Amino acid sequence: VYVVTNDETRDHHHHLDLLEPRAFQRWRATHIKNFDFPSDHNGNGGELGEVTIFPPPLFSNELQRTQAGSEVRWHIPVAARGAHAEGPSSRWLCVSYPSSRSG
C-alpha cells in the first residue's frame, strides 16, 4: 500500500501510537509517493498538465550495517549536491573491516 501525498507527515506519527518514531520514519520513506503537476503560469486559468508521481526510493537512505562472513560493512549515504540535493542519495561510501567476533 502506498500513500500519494506531498505532505511530509512530520506531525502524524503522534497519532499513530502503534509505531515507534523510527519505525514510522522507515515506513514513510518506503510507502509515500510524491507528486507534481505543472500548471499554467500565465494566470489565465489554463488547464493543469499531466500529473507525475514519483515512487519512493528502492533502498533506505540511512546508515546501514551488514555482515558478510567474517567481514563487517557499513554503508553510508553520501549527501547529494545540486538540483536534487534533498532527494535520496544515489552514492554510498562502503567501509569494511574484519569482525572481531570469531567463528
Side-chain angles (χ1 to χ4, degrees):
V1 173
Y2 292 101
V3 176
V4 178
T5 181
N6 281 341
D7 184 354
E8 293 292 327
T9 64
R10 290 186 184 115
D11 60 343
H12 298 322
H13 71 88
H14 299 295
H15 303 293
L16 299 171
D17 292 333
L18 300 174
L19 294 174
E20 293 292 323
R22 185 169 180 177
F24 179 74
Q25 290 171 356
R26 283 187 175 173
W27 177 87
R28 180 179 67 188
T30 57
H31 289 83
I32 290 184
K33 293 184 177 190
N34 297 121
F35 67 91
D36 186 36
F37 52 90
S39 61
D40 180 2
H41 295 290
N42 296 328
N44 59 10
E47 293 184 21
L48 296 177
E50 187 174 318
V51 175
T52 303
I53 297 176
F54 303 99
L58 296 175
F59 302 100
S60 170
N61 196 31
E62 60 185 43
L63 180 72
Q64 299 179 38
R65 180 187 183 275
T66 60
Q67 186 157 357
S70 62
E71 188 174 73
V72 174
R73 296 180 182 151
W74 285 96
H75 306 273
I76 305 163
V78 177
R81 293 184 182 179
H84 302 289
E86 293 185 20
S89 177
S90 60
R91 297 181 58 202
W92 293 77
L93 173 65
C94 182
V95 178
S96 60
Y97 57 90
S99 173
S100 60
R101 298 181 187 171
S102 60

